[in-house]
Amino acid sequence: MKYWLMKSEPDAFSIDDLAARPGKREHWDGVRNYQARNFMREMKKGDTVLFYHSSCAKPGVVGVAKIVREAYPDSTALDPESDYYDPKSDPDNPRWFMVDIQFQKKYKQPVSLAAMKANPLLDGMRLLKRGNRLSVMPVEAEEFQIIRAMAAE
DNA sequence: GCCAACGTTGGC
DNA sequence: GCCAACGTTGGC
């Protein structure tokens, strides 16, 4: 059982949007970064995901989801109508993958990026490293517990 | 809107 | 295979 963090711009897709989906599930498509893709392929059913809001007034972890379907080819890469279309993608040798996640909970008290930076217990966390731009990354179990405590869960 | 950091592209 | 140019991310 591993822990992950996934970023989403709330203007595009927020944790409330996830909670409002049928079955509270959604495909996590559109990832077009190899490192992020590789992490998604490591994800196992039941793994925990910290849902992070980025590029917004108050970036931070806003809740928790879980992996309900392991990596499978991202169909948007093959769809010319999609914003995520990749003309170099080959249906016989998929390059991009997605997973399905399901809403678990929204934190009553979101854990802001500023709060995480200010917590010495989270020194070294991948998210906080300089220049980090990955939209999908692993989180250590200890880090997850610390964040959970900060959310007063 | 600015800009630092990083990934990707493409010419050579 | 190098590396400059470019595009994107994402905090501020």
Side-chain angles (χ1 to χ4, degrees):
Chain A
M1 168 80 168
K2 290 196 173 178
Y3 299 92
W4 306 93
L5 181 143
M6 290 171 125
K7 295 180 184 173
S8 184
E9 298 186 19
D11 288 346
F13 187 75
S14 72
I15 192 156
D16 292 326
D17 293 327
L18 177 63
R21 284 287 190 270
K24 302 191 175 190
R25 297 164 59 120
E26 186 57 283
H27 320 293
W28 205 266
D29 57 20
V31 172
R32 297 291 179 269
N33 170 284
Y34 288 103
Q35 212 179 346
R37 178 204 69 182
N38 293 345
F39 284 137
M40 285 208 300
R41 292 203 291 201
E42 289 178 33
M43 291 174 173
K44 297 290 179 196
K45 208 169 168 177
D47 282 0
T48 298
V49 176
L50 289 172
F51 198 107
Y52 180 91
H53 282 175
S54 67
S55 295
C56 56
K58 206 181 173 198
V61 176
V62 292
V64 179
K66 68 177 177 183
I67 302 297
V68 290
R69 183 172 172 187
E70 294 174 12
Y72 59 106
D74 181 346
S75 52
T76 64
L78 301 169
D79 175 8
E81 301 297 307
S82 170
D83 289 343
Y84 303 121
Y85 178 58
D86 175 10
K88 286 186 265 184
S89 205
D90 173 4
D92 296 324
N93 185 19
R95 167 190 309 223
W96 303 116
F97 289 78
M98 55 186 173
V99 296
D100 290 359
I101 68 169
Q102 183 175 44
F103 175 84
Q104 291 272 100
K105 71 170 71 169
K106 183 177 173 181
Y107 287 151
K108 292 183 195 79
Q109 189 181 316
V111 181
S112 70
L113 178 62
M116 288 189 280
K117 281 182 175 170
N119 190 337
L121 293 173
L122 292 176
D123 280 355
M125 187 179 176
R126 191 172 195 126
L127 175 74
L128 306 180
K129 293 215 170 121
R130 199 172 65 109
N132 173 60
R133 284 176 13 190
L134 269 183
S135 64
V136 177
M137 72 188 80
V139 173
E140 299 298 324
E142 300 76 21
E143 294 166 347
F144 174 79
Q145 296 305 339
I146 291 160
I147 290 166
R148 196 179 172 204
M150 291 169 76
E153 285 294 308

